[in-house]
Amino acid sequence: MPLSISKNKADDVVIYPSPTADGIVNIKMNKSDPIRKIIVYNVQGQKMNEWILDEVYPAFSHQIELPSAKGTYLLEIYTKTQTFSRKAVFK
């Protein structure tokens, strides 16, 4: 039996639309592990915003608003078992 490492595949988390014209971004999990926390960083690595989601009502999708400055942002999406990093662009 081969050994394997937990895969953090690109299609496990979907960010749309990106680029966004109005700063609104949707995050959708394609797994059974709900979103626990989302952190947005700018390209300088500064934390811009953070959302902690309710564990009582698991969320498999969530909508966020990016900071008002147009640019590229890094989203860190935390579940109970994994952390995903995705890019979102606000044009």
Side-chain angles (χ1 to χ4, degrees), residues 2-88:
L3 297 175
S4 64
I5 296 173
S6 178
K7 295 178 183 174
N8 188 328
K9 298 186 296 186
D11 60 351
D12 287 345
V13 177
V14 178
I15 306 293
Y16 64 95
S18 187
T20 177
D22 61 2
I24 303 295
V25 175
N26 298 289
I27 302 167
K28 181 179 179 224
M29 298 298 299
N30 288 330
K31 299 183 79 173
S32 61
D33 201 7
I35 301 168
R36 301 290 177 131
K37 179 168 63 170
I38 302 164
I39 302 176
V40 176
Y41 296 94
N42 64 15
V43 292
Q44 288 82 31
Q46 299 168 313
K47 185 192 290 187
M48 303 303 291
N49 211 337
E50 179 175 352
W51 294 265
I52 298 175
L53 281 65
D54 190 344
E55 292 185 30
V56 176
Y57 302 102
F60 296 94
S61 63
H62 194 70
Q63 187 177 71
I64 64 169
E65 186 172 355
L66 295 174
S68 60
K70 295 182 179 184
T72 301
Y73 294 92
L74 175 68
L75 310 179
E76 284 191 348
I77 300 106
Y78 294 83
T79 69
K80 188 174 184 176
T81 61
Q82 291 183 311
T83 301
F84 300 89
S85 295
R86 298 293 185 267
K87 180 176 73 169

